[in-house]
Amino acid sequence: MIRLPRGTQDILPGESEKWQYVEATFIDICRRFNYQEIRTPIFEHTELFQRGVGDTTDIVQKEMYTFEDRGNRSLTLRPEGTASVVRAFVQNKLYGLANQPQKLFYNGPMFRYERPQQGRMRQFVQLGVEALGSKDPAIDAEVITLAMTFYQSLGLHSLKLVINSLGDKESRENHRQALVNHFSPYREELCSDCQTRLDQNPLRVLDCKKDRDHKAMKEAPKILDYLTDEAREYFDQVKQYLDASGIRYEVDSNLVRGLDYYNHTAFEIMSAAEGFGAITTLSGGGRYNGLVEDLDGPETPGIGFALSVERLLMALENEGITLPVNEGLDVYVVSLGESSKVPAYALTQRLRKSGLSVDKDYLDRKMKAQFKDADRNQAKFVVVLGEEEVKQQQATVKDMATGEQEMVAFDTLVDYIQSK
RNA sequence: GCGGUCGUGGUGAAGUGGUUAACACAUCGGAUUGUGGUUCCGACAUACGUGGGUUCGAUCCCCACCGGUCGCCCCA
């Protein structure tokens, strides 16, 4: 038997309805916030992610699904959504459209080559938004608010929003230098990853779990202390907007996102519920001024976030929230004897045409078994067709909840059922 | 990439170095010649992840591999 590839999953009936519900809710929230859908390819030129996500990131260094096609092009299954959206923004000159900022959302599978565990798959689905063309701190707050509103509308309440500012270019450069100066004396005591990070991207040393308790970590220079006046003012305004709309958050100066393109606002939303798995991050995002230029577009600020549907469903499960998705069948048509088979089939189609959800037996089962099947499908009504009914052009309609039944003419059947 | 743990029918789950591998659920049929969710009876699948090894003989012991699962690193 051929099994599915490691780290992928089949989403079967019973589960797929939840996905549909979550996606429909997301689309509705995006509509309310006036974000429009963009669909980009699930593979891109490898270079897009190398330049967009950053060569020093774990994603690019060890997690990409990269392959060569028959024309010797190096392609990569997208590990995240932002690079593709920005590429499409530049390529399609969306910066030239009248409606700015461009507020976009996406929904689709992402791919990272990692060892699967709870909440981490090789193919996983992200819902995300990107707002391109505005450097108003209000839109940072809007993106964060959109994410929180979405989670809350599904009923999640054990959430923790963590925000930080990574500052602008000047802030980051000053901080970077301070980090190098601070950690260099301890270089030999740090883990091998951190020694590399110290050279390539010292900010990420702060993110290390191994060296978390090293004495140099506690006294490490905080980015918030190195913000330029401008960057500080920006961060203060973002917080002010969040406060104004009643969004509660926590500032964590060690929050460092794993992608190179972030600056200014960075945030993560985590599940704070007891008994959640080892991975608690439900979504993350931030501002990425400069990325559009890096990908050969005009100077354009941007901010966005992405969330994992898999982790969202885990969080719902963990909080005991069931989505309203279990709708039974309206009608199940039971037929008796050879002569009523064709009329039963015709009647089924007729009922479906009216908008009702209708099914019948296709395994030539006895009546008793057909009723069982109707139960399995949670049918509200069973319509019985035997020789007598066909002759009289009437059907026996049984209300499965009350057990009551009566004869109804074919022509008034739809009205009868809809009025109940 | 590293580590823990697990791998028996459609599902859940016992069990043993040796001629028929429990049980339960599900499914189908009957009791009830045209009526479900209860009950009783019956039927059912040639189920021990793959490949080696030890042995007279392995589903059981050993090894490797594959896969699931959880964790580390990191992230959504």
Side-chain angles (χ1 to χ4, degrees):
Chain A
M1 181 180 52
I2 299 172
R3 303 180 53 90
L4 51 61
R6 174 165 239 193
T8 65
Q9 62 178 337
D10 297 316
I11 299 164
L12 305 174
E15 198 61 24
S16 57
E17 292 84 349
K18 297 179 190 168
W19 287 72
Q20 291 174 357
Y21 185 85
V22 164
E23 287 162 0
T25 303
F26 186 72
I27 289 170
D28 185 56
I29 299 290
C30 286
R31 178 191 61 76
R32 285 195 239 169
F33 282 73
N34 196 30
Y35 283 70
Q36 293 177 297
E37 184 175 15
I38 181 168
R39 302 192 186 200
T40 64
I42 62 171
F43 60 89
E44 298 271 3
H45 292 291
T46 301
E47 188 189 357
L48 173 66
F49 302 116
Q50 289 170 337
R51 279 170 58 185
V53 176
D55 271 325
T56 67
T57 60
D58 282 358
I59 289 179
V60 170
Q61 284 186 345
K62 53 185 198 190
E63 295 173 4
M64 293 211 299
Y65 268 97
T66 297
F67 59 96
E68 266 192 20
D69 73 4
R70 290 166 189 270
N72 301 316
R73 285 171 281 258
S74 179
L75 302 171
T76 295
L77 299 181
R78 62 183 182 193
E80 57 100 51
T82 302
S84 300
V85 171
V86 170
R87 193 224 83 235
F89 177 85
V90 172
Q91 181 174 342
N92 297 286
K93 298 184 169 58
L94 300 186
Y95 48 80
L97 297 178
N99 59 324
Q100 299 293 334
Q102 280 285 298
K103 305 208 295 184
L104 305 165
F105 78 84
Y106 58 85
N107 165 17
M110 306 294 164
F111 306 84
R112 291 183 202 173
Y113 190 91
E114 296 186 276
R115 192 74 176 267
Q117 69 184 69
Q118 189 174 45
R120 194 177 63 194
M121 302 293 280
R122 288 183 174 181
Q123 174 174 336
F124 57 102
V125 173
Q126 283 190 342
L127 305 177
V129 310
E130 312 291 350
L132 290 149
S134 168
K135 53 181 176 37
D136 184 343
I139 208 159
D140 298 49
E142 177 179 277
V143 166
I144 293 171
T145 304
L146 188 155
M148 293 300 282
T149 304
F150 169 66
Y151 285 130
Q152 285 159 0
S153 73
L154 290 171
L156 283 179
H157 52 269
S158 292
L159 298 171
K160 189 168 86 168
L161 168 62
V162 178
I163 64 172
N164 190 25
S165 173
L166 306 177
D168 53 23
K169 210 170 186 177
E170 193 186 335
S171 314
R172 293 189 69 164
E173 189 42 51
N174 293 341
H175 182 233
R176 178 195 161 92
Q177 199 51 56
L179 284 170
V180 172
N181 293 343
H182 176 77
F183 281 112
S184 290
Y186 306 104
R187 169 179 283 273
E188 297 310 316
E189 298 170 27
L190 297 173
C191 75
S192 57
D193 280 343
C194 281
Q195 296 186 14
T196 311
R197 286 171 183 147
L198 198 49
D199 297 324
Q200 295 187 341
N201 191 349
L203 191 60
R204 295 196 55 235
V205 173
L206 294 177
D207 207 20
C208 183
K209 302 290 188 295
K210 277 187 202 155
D211 294 325
R212 170 187 275 161
D213 297 324
H214 191 276
K215 62 176 186 287
M217 204 60 87
K218 294 188 193 72
E219 307 145 14
K222 304 252 187 269
I223 177 69
L224 293 178
D225 295 329
Y226 288 81
L227 294 184
T228 59
D229 289 347
E230 230 174 313
R232 169 172 311 286
E233 172 64 13
Y234 192 90
F235 190 42
D236 284 343
Q237 287 188 47
V238 172
K239 287 188 285 187
Q240 198 181 322
Y241 279 113
L242 288 173
D243 292 337
S245 49
I247 302 286
R248 293 171 51 184
Y249 56 86
E250 194 176 293
V251 175
D252 180 354
S253 60
N254 282 327
L255 174 64
V256 175
R257 316 253 38 253
L259 286 66
D260 283 353
Y261 52 61
Y262 287 117
N263 47 57
H264 286 290
T265 314
F267 70 97
E268 277 187 19
I269 299 170
M270 290 172 276
S271 171
E274 289 294 318
F276 206 69
I279 294 170
T280 58
T281 302
L282 300 179
S283 57
R287 182 160 278 284
Y288 45 83
N289 298 348
L291 179 59
V292 177
E293 294 97 297
D294 289 346
L295 295 176
D296 307 318
E299 185 179 337
T300 309
I303 181 164
F305 87 98
L307 67 91
S308 149
V309 177
E310 286 83 356
R311 291 183 188 178
L312 166 61
L313 292 173
M314 280 170 50
L316 288 169
E317 177 110 358
N318 189 254
E319 292 196 32
I321 298 164
T322 49
L323 301 175
V325 292
N326 297 314
E327 282 176 33
L329 218 47
D330 291 320
V331 182
Y332 190 96
V333 178
V334 167
S335 68
L336 292 162
E338 280 302 314
S339 63
S340 60
K341 278 187 174 175
V342 171
Y345 181 80
L347 186 63
T348 300
Q349 301 310 327
R350 187 166 163 182
L351 293 170
R352 285 171 173 166
K353 224 172 187 175
S354 74
L356 295 167
S357 60
V358 189
D359 206 356
K360 67 181 288 293
D361 167 64
Y362 290 102
L363 295 178
D364 206 22
R365 282 183 278 227
K366 308 267 195 229
M367 179 162 66
K368 186 191 177 90
Q370 292 185 53
F371 265 89
K372 272 195 144 178
D373 198 33
D375 256 338
R376 252 193 301 268
N377 283 286
Q378 300 176 64
K380 296 184 189 70
F381 295 93
V382 165
V383 168
V384 181
L385 267 195
E387 284 181 28
E388 209 38 49
E389 284 89 344
V390 172
K391 230 177 266 173
Q392 298 177 23
Q393 290 293 292
Q394 292 188 329
T396 304
V397 180
K398 178 167 185 171
D399 183 325
M400 294 298 274
T402 64
E404 291 167 6
Q405 61 181 52
E406 54 186 304
M407 296 289 280
V408 180
F410 286 179
D411 290 338
T412 59
L413 203 47
V414 170
D415 288 340
Y416 177 84
I417 288 167
Q418 284 177 340
S419 70
K420 280 258 184 170

